[in-house]
């Protein structure tokens, strides 16, 4: 990964540049956020020519490091108006890394209506006209491009939602079987890609694990030990492979913090009907897979393959999606949830934002709560670009304003994920304070709040939540730079050998002598970079708060309200 | 004295006829501990990583009351 590819969509010119020295030790989110601060005016129009879209594999992506195939996408977000990094599994990251690219920077803007395809091969780079792909859904786009360029290519794409510049649009890429379902979903980055006139990137790379490492033997030993650590932990070695991410549905429900009926209650009576155990059964019964790796070399294999009743293969159905279209809408049918997920994957829409938005529409009475058929019909409007479809595609905050809803679950304009902040308060602190807008992954306090991993902090009191969120936000920023899946944290938080083994892999690969302090310093640096960008974009303390109703309405069953306000200003205080 | 018990993620295999996540009413002695309840259900303590009573994590010494909602999980995580 010794070069950066720059694609100017105004001129159609592509250039390959050496990696500047200050970027050498950055990858993934660390690199996307740094390039944004260095090259993009924070006050720019997110869908205009001065915003840039940066794709970056992590520092360890494309090697034999287990579960290291995350790809970061970064840009100024049209949803939040601030800096955004969203990362995805799937097969693109390892391929980009194995072609030697540390980052791809998409800049400028073509004439209105022009659509392009970027093709990367070992032989070089081509920017090709792609008008024939305009308006095509995610599944068809991936299938066509595999047919055209080879069964094994990686495809990074936007659906019609991205082409139509909807602020809830994500950037997708394919899993090893070709499902168009691995999304860097959050923050509307699909709209940024759409604004650049870039429909897809095809990556044809013959290798997956062969990015050069300086000390091969030392790296191999560390990677093996790290895989052993993941296998040995009961979460990463047993629960995630067996039941997938949706294993969370029941424990979050039992803990009374499962947002139900647009965050009215903390429990859903039928949660078990849409939980991980039922999902695993359904995947197996229809000839899908309950255990599946979203990219080669993942040892946790928390993905799945869910087959819809008519035989269409969705790809993976994840917890956040099952929640957003399930309890959040009072829908208790996995097939309906799967259909809503399919519509999102095809239109190119973030499922969390779409779930929050449908919840807001139900709150407004546009669709009845629990009405799966009406939800599917409404969501299908997105791909057609009708007025209702554009309102849904614009996200929960916008939809709420259109319909006069005051109970909008969002922070900085981004919908709140699957843990109610009143009874999982560490995550409430993260939603309020991360530079990303409401993002559960940015400081996943569910670990210590609910799962008793990496500590034990009572979720329904305020004590310890600020520190918990701060420490997790720093560690997460660092993990997001490595390309490792964040789920390695379940094992790393509990095993004192975990972090040293990640550092050992980095040191062996790059010939460095990093310490744990250096890694935490990297995490802090990334957060500072992002805060600086957001300050330039106009964010202030008032933006680091939760919506009013979380402070005013009690959540059953624990009768909790969120209470932290000024204390939130101390989270990123370093 | 009845308590409402749910077990998850494979723990149902310890109890004949039990299904993951479906409520079972179990008759126990007043004030019986979580540990005694697990023994009654033949769930090995080391498998009961999370023991929740009325939505709050408790250790196994907790005394149970009439009608308590109990949930037992092995170690789980996701997101």
């Amino acid at each position: 990964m010794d070069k950066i590819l720059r694609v100017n969509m105004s001129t159609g010119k592509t250039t390959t540049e050496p990696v500047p020295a200050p970027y050498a030790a950055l990858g993934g989110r660390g690199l996307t956020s740094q390039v944004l601060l260095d090259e993009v005016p924070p006050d720019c129009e997110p869908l205009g020519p001065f915003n840039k879209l940066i794709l970056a594999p992590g520092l360890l992506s494309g090697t034999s490091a287990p579960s290291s195939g995350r790809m970061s996408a970064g840009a100024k977000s049209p949803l939040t108006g601030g800096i955004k990094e969203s990362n995805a599994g799937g097969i693109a990251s390892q391929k980009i890394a194995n072609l030697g690219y540390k980052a791809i920077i998409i800049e400028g803007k073509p004439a209105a209506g022009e659509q392009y395809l970027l093709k990367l091969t070992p032989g070089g780079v081509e920017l090709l006209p792609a008008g024939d792909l305009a308006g095509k859904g995610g599944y068809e786009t991936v299938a066509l491009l595999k047919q055209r360029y080879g069964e094994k290519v990686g495809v990074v794409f936007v659906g019609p939602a991205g082409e139509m510049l909807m602020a809830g649009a994500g950037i997708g890429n394919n899993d090893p079987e070709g499902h168009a379902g691995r999304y860097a979903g959050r923050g509307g980055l699909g709209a940024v890609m759409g604004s650049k006139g870039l429909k897809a990137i095809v990556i044809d790379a013959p290798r997956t694990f062969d990015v050069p490492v300086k000390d091969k033997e030392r790296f191999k030993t560390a990677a093996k030990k790290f895989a052993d650590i993941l296998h040995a932990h009961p979460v990463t070695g047993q629960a995630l492979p067996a039941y997938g991410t949706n294993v969370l549905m029941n424990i979050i429900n039992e803990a009374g913090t499962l947002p139900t009926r647009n965050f009215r209650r903390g429990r859903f009576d039928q949660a078990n009907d849409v939980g991980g155990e039922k999902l695993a059964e359904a995947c197996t019964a229809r000839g899908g897979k309950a255990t599946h790796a979203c990219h080669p070399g993942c040892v946790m294999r928390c993905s799945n393959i869910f087959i819809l009743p008519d035989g269409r293969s969705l790809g993976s159905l994840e917890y956040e999606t099952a929640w957003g279209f399930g309890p959040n809408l009072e829908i208790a049918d996995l097939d309906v949830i799967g259909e809503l997920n399919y519509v999102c994957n095809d239109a190119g829409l973030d499922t969390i934002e779409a779930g929050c938005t449908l919840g807001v529409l139900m709150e407004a009475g546009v669709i009845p709560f629990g009405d799966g058929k009406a939800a599917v019909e409404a969501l299908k409007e997105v791909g057609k670009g009708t007025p209702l479809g554009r309102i849904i595609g614009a996200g929960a905050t916008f939809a709420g304003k259109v319909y006069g809803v005051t109970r909008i679950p969002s922070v900085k304009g981004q919908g709140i994920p699957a843990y109610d902040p009143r009874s999982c308060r560490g995550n409430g602190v993260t939603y309020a304070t991360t530079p990303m807008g409401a993002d559960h992954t940015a400081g996943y306090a569910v670990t210590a709040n609910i799962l008793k991993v990496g500590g034990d902090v009572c979720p329904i009191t305020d004590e310890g939540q600020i520190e918990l969120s701060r420490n997790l936000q720093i560690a997460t920023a660092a993990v997001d730079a490595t390309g490792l899946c964040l789920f390695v944290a379940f094992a790393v938080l509990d095993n004192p050998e975990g972090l040293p083994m990640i550092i050992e892999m980095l040191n062996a690969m790059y010939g460095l002598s990093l310490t744990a302090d250096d890694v935490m310093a990297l995490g802090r640096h990334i957060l500072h970079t992002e805060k600086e960008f957001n300050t330039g974009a106009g964010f202030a303390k008032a933006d680091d708060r939760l919506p009013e109703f979380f402070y005013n309405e009690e959540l059953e069953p624990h009768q909790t309200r969120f209470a932290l306000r000024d204390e939130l200003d101390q989270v990123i205080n370093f | 004295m009845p308590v409402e018990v749910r077990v998850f993620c494979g723990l149902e295999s310890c109890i004949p006829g039990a299904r993951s996540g479906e409520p079972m009413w179990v008759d126990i002695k007043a004030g019986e501990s979580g540990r005694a309840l697990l023994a009654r259900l033949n769930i090995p303590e080391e498998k009961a990583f999370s023991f929740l009573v009325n939505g709050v994590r408790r250790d196994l010494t907790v005394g149970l009351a009439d009608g308590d909602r109990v949930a037992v999980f092995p170690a789980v995580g996701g997101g």
Side-chain angles (χ1 to χ4, degrees):
Chain A
M1 289 188 278
D2 57 357
K3 55 193 176 185
I4 289 177
L5 174 63
R6 197 176 285 272
V7 183
N8 186 319
M9 301 303 297
S10 300
T11 63
K13 194 175 162 208
T14 63
T15 49
T16 303
E17 306 166 357
V19 175
Y23 292 175
L26 295 174
R29 174 179 169 186
L31 189 53
T32 60
S33 290
Q34 190 65 52
V35 172
L36 284 169
L37 185 67
D38 293 346
E39 298 192 11
V40 173
D43 57 357
C44 74
E45 161 56 49
L47 302 177
F50 302 112
N51 197 7
K52 301 189 183 190
L53 174 67
I54 301 119
L55 301 180
L59 287 164
L60 295 169
S61 292
T63 70
S64 61
S67 308
S68 62
R70 302 294 292 190
M71 176 183 72
S72 288
K76 178 173 175 175
S77 163
L79 189 71
T80 69
I83 198 165
K84 171 55 66 179
E85 185 266 359
S86 182
N87 60 69
I91 64 176
S93 190
Q94 291 165 313
K95 290 181 185 291
I96 293 169
N98 273 276
L99 290 180
Y101 297 111
K102 195 171 176 67
I104 302 170
I105 302 175
I106 314 290
E107 57 191 27
K109 192 170 176 172
E114 291 182 6
Q115 292 257 33
Y116 292 92
L117 169 78
L118 182 67
K119 187 182 157 203
L120 312 180
T121 68
V125 182
E126 285 180 274
L127 190 63
L128 304 166
D132 59 320
L133 297 174
K136 293 209 182 299
Y139 289 95
E140 188 183 358
T141 299
V142 170
L144 278 170
L145 293 175
K146 283 179 65 169
Q147 207 173 36
R148 199 179 295 172
Y149 296 109
E151 195 52 31
K152 293 187 172 172
V153 296
V155 182
V156 177
F157 63 90
V158 294
E163 291 178 48
M164 289 187 271
L165 313 185
M166 296 182 188
I171 295 174
N173 85 109
N174 49 333
D175 70 6
E177 288 78 14
H179 297 102
R182 305 307 321 190
Y183 268 85
R186 307 235 65 197
L189 298 182
V192 178
M193 188 160 152
S195 76
K196 305 295 181 198
L198 189 60
K199 174 67 179 175
I201 305 172
V202 171
I203 311 120
D204 184 359
R207 300 184 188 284
T208 305
F209 303 114
D210 295 338
V211 169
V213 298
K214 284 224 161 96
D215 189 334
K216 280 186 183 170
E217 278 311 307
R218 191 177 158 200
F219 188 88
K220 198 173 149 192
T221 305
K224 166 79 171 57
K225 279 189 186 162
F226 193 62
D228 291 343
I229 288 168
L230 296 176
H231 279 303
H233 193 277
V235 171
T236 50
Q238 292 165 36
L240 276 172
Y243 301 108
T245 56
N246 198 16
V247 72
L248 280 183
M249 184 71 73
N250 277 310
I251 195 164
I252 302 302
N253 186 52
E254 288 303 317
T257 197
L258 183 73
T260 301
R261 199 179 168 91
N262 189 36
F263 292 76
R264 288 267 178 196
R265 299 191 307 274
R267 277 213 184 115
F268 182 50
D269 289 343
Q270 294 158 283
N272 190 45
D273 293 338
V274 295
E277 297 91 327
K278 285 277 158 60
L279 175 62
E281 275 175 33
C283 285
T284 308
R286 294 218 183 108
K289 284 184 179 176
T291 304
H292 173 250
C294 79
H295 67 275
C298 182
V299 304
M300 297 181 284
R301 296 164 296 140
C302 71
S303 176
N304 56 58
I305 296 179
F306 183 72
I307 312 285
L308 291 162
D310 64 4
R312 279 171 298 149
S313 187
L314 169 71
S316 191
L317 207 170
E318 304 287 339
Y319 168 63
E320 298 294 332
T321 307
W323 158 77
F325 296 141
N328 186 47
L329 309 182
E330 293 190 317
I331 290 173
D333 184 336
L334 277 174
D335 289 339
V336 173
I337 291 167
E339 182 64 39
L340 289 163
N341 194 347
Y342 192 96
V343 174
C344 276
N345 287 355
D346 213 36
L349 205 59
D350 174 27
T351 57
I352 299 177
E353 197 62 41
C356 288
T357 307
L358 289 176
V360 165
L361 289 190
M362 289 181 173
E363 179 89 29
V366 178
I367 312 168
F369 274 105
D371 189 338
K373 190 163 174 281
V376 171
E377 280 171 13
L379 199 57
K380 281 185 175 170
E381 297 297 308
V382 173
K384 298 176 196 163
T386 60
L388 177 62
R390 286 176 185 270
I391 290 168
I392 295 173
T397 304
F398 182 82
K401 283 181 182 167
V402 170
Y403 287 102
V405 174
T406 55
R407 300 182 73 266
I408 305 171
S410 67
V411 179
K412 299 182 178 70
Q414 180 169 286
I416 294 182
Y419 319 86
D420 196 293
R422 287 164 287 191
S423 290
C424 184
R425 293 192 189 178
N427 253 42
V429 173
T430 296
Y431 298 150
T433 60
T434 167
M436 296 295 152
D439 175 352
H440 60 296
T441 67
Y444 191 68
V446 181
T447 46
N449 271 183
I450 309 286
L451 305 173
K452 206 171 71 176
V453 171
D456 191 358
V457 176
C458 176
I460 55 175
T461 61
D462 293 335
E463 198 182 340
Q465 310 294 2
I466 298 287
E467 294 74 18
L468 177 63
S469 175
R470 178 193 298 132
N471 292 336
L472 287 168
Q473 288 195 52
I474 293 168
T476 301
V479 171
D480 286 345
T482 64
L484 290 169
C485 174
L486 187 58
F487 293 163
V488 304
F490 291 114
V492 170
L493 286 167
D494 276 345
N495 187 328
E497 289 295 302
L499 180 60
M501 217 42 67
I502 295 174
I503 294 167
E504 177 71 4
M505 288 191 288
L506 289 168
N507 286 341
M509 180 171 177
Y510 292 96
L512 299 170
S513 46
L514 297 172
T515 64
D517 287 347
D518 296 325
V519 173
M520 293 305 124
L522 172 65
R524 285 191 288 270
H525 172 77
I526 293 168
L527 289 170
H528 278 298
T529 301
E530 293 166 350
K531 282 287 274 191
E532 190 179 338
F533 187 98
N534 277 2
T535 301
F539 282 85
K541 286 178 181 178
D543 297 299
D544 289 344
R545 299 292 183 271
L546 294 183
E548 187 177 89
F549 76 92
F550 291 110
Y551 293 93
N552 292 343
E553 292 181 19
E554 282 194 344
L555 182 74
E556 294 175 8
H558 298 302
Q559 314 308 337
T560 45
R561 300 180 196 204
F562 199 77
L564 295 164
R565 294 180 195 268
D566 293 347
E567 300 90 331
L568 296 169
D569 300 332
Q570 298 307 311
V571 176
I572 301 180
N573 68 346
F574 38 82
Chain B
M1 182 188 86
V3 289
E4 186 182 359
V5 181
R6 290 171 178 79
V7 301
F8 298 89
C9 301
L11 295 184
E12 68 277 7
S13 64
C14 302
I15 308 164
R19 291 173 63 89
S20 179
E22 294 189 3
M24 299 175 285
W25 286 96
V26 180
D27 208 30
I28 63 171
K29 290 180 200 153
E32 191 169 301
S33 70
R35 180 164 285 122
L37 175 66
L38 288 183
R40 203 182 266 282
L41 298 173
N42 295 315
I43 297 174
E45 276 183 39
E46 66 275 13
K47 287 191 179 176
F49 186 81
S50 288
F51 189 88
L52 278 66
V53 180
N54 300 323
V56 178
R57 175 190 301 290
R58 306 302 294 263
D59 67 46
L60 295 179
T61 60
V62 63
L64 298 170
D66 194 356
D68 276 348
R69 176 170 176 154
V70 177
V72 193
F73 291 88
V76 296

